[in-house]
């Protein structure tokens, strides 16, 4: 064997897997097809304070653009629901720097990191993955290993090469475009803004994630529309005077799979982490934390597999069960809420927003929350519960 | 099928393609390979990638 493990993809999922494995003493190669880890960015860059803390990632000004204190939700008629928090509950990251930081942590822990190195296929023997075929400029070579981790994001191929179907159906993929706008005005430069409704973003939502006093990521995701996401975004910005005056410092484009988690994420000698395993939240589109968290879970189970010398699908299935237990149920709940929202008209959303206006979310206790939820018609209750 | 200069190389089309016919090469190029329905059967394209592209960069010839 050349390495114990090869990790394909140096996004947050891949880097956390590689780092944790290397810390445990495994020999790890992490390959990334892009010339620079973290570039180009494909993200709104929002993540939670609690998640980073739990994963032991110390926030650093080089990758934290802005601390976030909750959010405002806007319904299609402009009704605002105030969900601000007293304490910071999130960050707007510089993903470019964040991903690179995680890659560097993996390398410092002992993983071998190779950029501009593409996995072009798997090496399989008797139905078991035994390595990867790699390309680096004009060099094509094979690397043998015990386990291949597909942390290769939405465009990833490792899953499909291994016979794990992780393709997303058209209606289950949101198409997203985001402008980083400079010189704009926001209600508060440390509060996220979300705009819901078919008027703005059918099948998705608009986000404004502040990165500084007058800089923000303004983006949206849509599904099942005739016009492109770009058309919707330009229209939204043109209709909002405070944004329309901004200059576009960067453009981000990408797809987010919102069909919920995979039923199968492991095979003989192979497993999937992050977006390639559909660990992204189907309601919010957030996937950074889950990719990182599941990366650490994967590393734990691979560590056990290395100790046992058993890389079978049956052994690695423990990882599948673990992440389903830890994040799968939450993802399924988000999926249900997303399905409820899909059925709500813009009018329904306005009604819900009006009802929720004036509530102080941080101060609602569990008892009060359940009494609020029961006041809603049953089809709205789960949605409201998810917000509380 | 043709991919024009609007392309951001984001991989959305590669994911939704039922045939694994779209590849993002490390050189920053998106390539539609011979597995594309249109190439194989000379049939009408399935067009899924066209609909999924966030910026409208893919066109059927
Ligand atoms: C527009 C947009 C906005 C988003 N906003 C947010 C947000 O605000 N908050 C949030 O939490 N999440 C957000 N997400 C989702 C988030 O970006 C992803 O969930 C997260 O990046 C998943 O991490 P990952 O490591 O699984 O995959 P990725 O970050 O996609 O990393 C996969 C890596 O694998 C590499 N790779 C692929 N194939 C190969 C190969 N064959 N060989 C070598 N390398 C390969 C890729 O180049 C890439 O670097 C957003 C996504 C989009 C598109």
């Amino acid at each position: 064997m050349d390495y114990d493990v090869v990790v394909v993809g140096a996004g947050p999922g891949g880097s956390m897997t590689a780092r944790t494995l290397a810390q445990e003493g495994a020999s790890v190669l992490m390959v990334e097809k892009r010339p620079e880890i973290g570039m180009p960015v494909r993200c709104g860059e929002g993540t939670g304070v609690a998640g980073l803390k739990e994963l032991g990632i110390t926030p650093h000004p080089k990758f934290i653009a802005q601390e976030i204190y909750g959010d405002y939700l806007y319904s299609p008629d402009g009704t605002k629901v105030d969900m601000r928090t007293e304490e910071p509950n999130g960050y707007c990251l510089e993903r470019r720097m964040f991903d690179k930081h995680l890659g560097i942590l993996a390398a410092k822990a002992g993983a071998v990191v190779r950029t501009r190195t593409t996995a072009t296929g798997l090496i399989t023997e008797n139905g078991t993955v035994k390595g990867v075929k790699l390309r680096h400029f004009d060099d094509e070579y094979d690397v043998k290993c015990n386990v291949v981790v597909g942390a290769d994001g939405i465009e990833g191929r490792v899953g499909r090469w291994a016979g794990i179907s992780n393709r997303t159906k058209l209606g289950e993929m949101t198409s997203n475009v985001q402008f980083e706008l400079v010189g704009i005005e926001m209600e508060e430069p440390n509060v996220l803004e979300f705009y819901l409704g078919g008027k703005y973003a059918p099948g998705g939502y608009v986000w404004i994630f502040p990165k500084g006093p007058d800089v923000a990521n303004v983006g949206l995701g849509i599904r099942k529309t005739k016009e492109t996401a770009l058309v919707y975004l330009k229209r939204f910005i043109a209709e909002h005077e405070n944004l329309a005056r901004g200059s576009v410092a960067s453009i981000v484009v990408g797809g987010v799979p919102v069909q919920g988690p995979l039923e199968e994420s492991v095979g003989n000698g192979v497993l999937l982490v992050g977006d390639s395993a559909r660990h992204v939240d189907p309601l919010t589109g957030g996937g950074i934390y889950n990719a990182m968290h599941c990366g650490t879970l994967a590393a734990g189970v691979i560590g056990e597999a290395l100790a046992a010398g058993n890389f079978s699908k049956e052994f690695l299935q423990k990882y599948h069960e673990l992440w389903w237990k830890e994040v799968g149920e939450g993802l399924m709940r988000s999926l249900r809420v997303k399905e409820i929202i899909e059925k709500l008209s813009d009018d329904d959303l306005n009604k819900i927003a009006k009802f929720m206006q004036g509530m102080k979310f941080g101060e609602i206790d569990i008892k009060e929350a359940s009494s609020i939820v029961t006041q809603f018609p049953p089809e709205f209750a789960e949605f409201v519960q998810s917000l509380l | 099928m043709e991919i024009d200069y609007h392309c951001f190389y984001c991989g959305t089309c590669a994911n939704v393609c039922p045939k694994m016919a779209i590849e993002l090469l490390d050189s920053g190029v998106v390539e539609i390979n011979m597995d594309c329905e249109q190439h194989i059967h000379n049939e009408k394209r399935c067009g899924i990638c066209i609909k999924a592209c966030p910026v409208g960069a893919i066109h059927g010839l």
Side-chain angles (χ1 to χ4, degrees):
Chain A
M1 287 297 149
D2 298 313
Y3 292 92
D4 291 327
V5 184
V6 175
V7 178
V8 179
S15 287
M16 282 305 278
T17 313
R19 180 195 186 202
T20 315
L21 278 164
Q23 281 171 335
E24 286 168 5
S27 66
V28 188
L29 170 66
M30 177 166 71
V31 295
E32 168 55 53
K33 68 179 178 182
R34 300 170 179 180
E36 184 176 357
I37 294 175
M39 284 291 284
V41 173
R42 284 188 208 137
C43 193
E45 306 184 289
T47 200
V49 167
L52 289 198
K53 195 169 176 198
E54 177 211 301
L55 293 164
I57 303 297
T58 313
H60 190 283
K62 78 178 176 193
F63 59 77
I64 303 286
Q66 180 68 52
E67 272 191 330
I68 299 298
Y69 290 72
D71 40 77
Y72 291 130
L73 279 185
Y74 291 90
S75 73
D77 71 359
T79 306
K80 181 167 84 176
V81 180
D82 183 347
M83 301 181 73
R84 281 175 300 168
T85 55
E86 294 291 324
E87 297 296 319
N89 70 341
Y91 299 114
C92 201
L93 300 169
E94 285 294 350
R95 268 285 304 264
R96 197 165 56 94
M97 302 306 293
F98 181 71
D99 284 20
K100 203 179 217 177
H101 176 72
L102 297 181
I104 289 170
L105 289 182
K108 284 190 173 165
V112 175
V113 179
R114 287 189 201 149
T115 51
R116 191 112 209 197
T117 303
T118 306
T120 56
L122 296 176
I123 302 163
T124 313
E125 287 168 21
N126 305 320
T128 297
V129 174
K130 293 281 185 189
V132 260
K133 294 176 180 298
L134 298 176
R135 183 179 59 226
H136 176 69
F137 292 101
D138 294 328
D139 286 347
E140 304 218 11
Y141 56 99
D142 291 354
V143 170
K144 293 276 189 109
C145 62
N146 289 313
V147 181
V148 173
V149 175
D152 45 353
I154 64 154
E155 83 262 31
R157 286 282 183 264
V158 171
R160 291 210 248 179
W161 288 329
I164 304 169
S165 171
N166 59 355
R167 175 192 163 232
T168 308
K169 289 192 190 135
L170 180 62
E172 294 171 336
M173 173 76 88
T174 57
S175 301
N176 304 266
V177 177
Q178 169 184 284
F179 290 174
E180 185 181 4
L181 290 181
V182 182
I184 58 170
E185 259 174 46
M186 283 168 283
E187 202 144 344
E188 280 183 59
N190 55 8
V191 177
L192 306 181
E193 296 178 31
F194 294 96
Y195 292 75
L196 304 179
K199 175 181 160 189
Y200 296 130
Y205 63 85
V206 178
W207 65 83
I208 301 179
F209 287 1
K211 294 184 80 173
D214 61 352
V215 184
N217 289 333
V218 181
L220 56 75
I222 51 160
R223 280 181 304 138
K224 304 177 187 169
T225 56
K226 284 222 164 69
E227 289 172 305
T228 62
L230 184 61
V231 171
Y232 275 92
L233 181 63
K234 284 187 170 174
R235 192 182 299 143
F236 179 85
I237 291 172
E239 284 173 7
H240 290 79
E241 165 56 21
N242 60 320
L243 304 175
R245 68 174 70 119
S247 297
V248 182
S250 70
I251 303 177
V252 166
V253 171
V256 176
V258 291
Q259 80 272 47
L262 288 185
E263 288 299 331
E264 192 185 27
S265 62
V266 303
N268 290 314
V270 63
L271 57 77
L272 306 181
V273 164
D275 275 13
S276 76
R278 306 290 167 267
H279 287 150
V280 60
D281 187 297
L283 179 63
T284 63
I288 302 170
Y289 166 76
N290 281 353
M292 293 169 72
H293 179 60
C294 294
T296 62
L297 299 180
V301 173
I302 295 170
E304 289 173 29
L306 289 168
N310 185 347
F311 311 104
S312 65
K313 182 176 176 177
E314 290 68 34
F315 196 99
L316 297 177
Q317 182 67 13
K318 189 173 172 191
Y319 158 68
H320 183 79
E321 282 155 19
L322 204 56
W323 73 252
W324 257 95
K325 199 166 129 226
E326 297 208 6
V327 304
E329 281 161 23
L331 295 177
M332 289 310 288
R333 186 156 161 263
S334 289
L335 186 62
R336 281 197 302 280
V337 175
K338 187 199 76 168
E339 282 161 2
I340 292 166
I341 296 182
E342 263 165 24
K343 292 189 202 124
L344 300 180
S345 65
D346 282 7
D347 249 13
D348 292 333
L349 289 169
N350 292 332
K351 275 186 218 148
I352 294 177
K354 292 228 158 54
F355 190 90
M356 297 173 85
Q357 220 177 13
M359 284 180 183
K360 265 274 172 204
F361 283 86
E363 293 162 15
I364 295 174
D365 66 20
I366 298 284
K367 234 164 124 196
E368 199 182 341
S370 25
S371 84
I372 290 167
V373 170
T374 52
Q375 294 168 41
F376 278 85
E379 67 269 28
F380 297 171
E382 201 171 356
F383 170 55
V384 177
Q385 200 164 20
S386 73
L387 297 176
L388 297 173
Chain B
M1 304 288 270
E2 190 184 66
I3 299 177
D4 73 16
Y5 60 90
H6 292 94
C7 177
F8 269 78
Y9 184 60
C10 75
T12 307
C13 54
N15 180 293
V16 295
C17 175
K19 303 268 179 180
M20 281 211 273
I22 306 185
E23 278 179 82
L24 272 66
L25 305 181
D26 42 5
S27 47
V29 171
V30 179
E31 195 180 70
I32 301 181
N33 69 30
M34 294 305 283
D35 290 334
C36 176
E37 220 171 309
Q38 195 187 24
H39 288 126
I40 302 176
H41 306 298
N42 203 16
E43 281 172 2
K44 197 171 171 291
R45 62 191 183 263
C46 80
I48 289 176
C49 55
I50 298 178
K51 290 183 189 147
C53 177
V55 291
I58 312 184
H59 310 274
L61 293 175

